[in-house]
Amino acid sequence: MDYGGGLGSEGPQQYEQLLSVPPGRQLTIGVAALDADLAQLQTLDLHQYRRLLLVVKAWEPPMAELLDALAPLASLDRCTVLLLPLPGKPTPRRKVEDWHAFARRLPFASVDVQLLNRVVD
């Protein structure tokens, strides 16, 4: 799931952690109203999913609205928060720490935070 449209036109195939995600299982939220995101998430058959890969813009602070948007997915066991860096810039440690603190509040049994790695030829 791409929160806030951070992947833009690049698409998930540019990042190692997202290569195995089938196109039909990719979803963007956080670009419309929260009500629209919640309605979209409530249509998902969560029995088909074991894990949530959540792409967020590393340079933005975690927001309560994201926490609210993830509430319908609380039955999933695992969530990996993938921090998308600004192009050509490293993600500062304090930003990673902010996302770790946010991840501890998520409604999943297991949550980890990783930096997204670009596919390198």
Side-chain angles (χ1 to χ4, degrees), residues 19-103:
L19 287 174
S20 63
V21 178
R25 297 230 172 171
Q26 300 167 11
L27 185 65
T28 299
I29 65 168
V31 293
L34 178 59
D35 290 343
D37 290 339
L38 292 173
Q40 182 179 17
L41 292 173
Q42 289 174 349
T43 65
L44 296 176
D45 179 6
L46 296 182
H47 292 75
Q48 295 182 23
Y49 301 91
R50 294 178 302 162
R51 176 181 179 193
L52 172 65
L53 297 175
L54 175 65
V55 177
V56 296
K57 299 172 187 173
W59 63 92
E60 291 185 356
M63 298 173 46
E65 188 170 293
L66 173 55
L67 193 61
D68 294 342
L70 295 175
L73 305 176
S75 65
L76 296 175
D77 289 333
R78 294 185 60 203
C79 175
T80 299
V81 178
L82 298 166
L83 303 179
L84 177 69
L86 275 170
K89 295 193 178 205
T91 302
R93 182 184 319 196
R94 65 180 163 69
K95 290 290 186 182
V96 175
E97 290 170 0
D98 288 346
W99 282 104
H100 274 283
F102 176 80

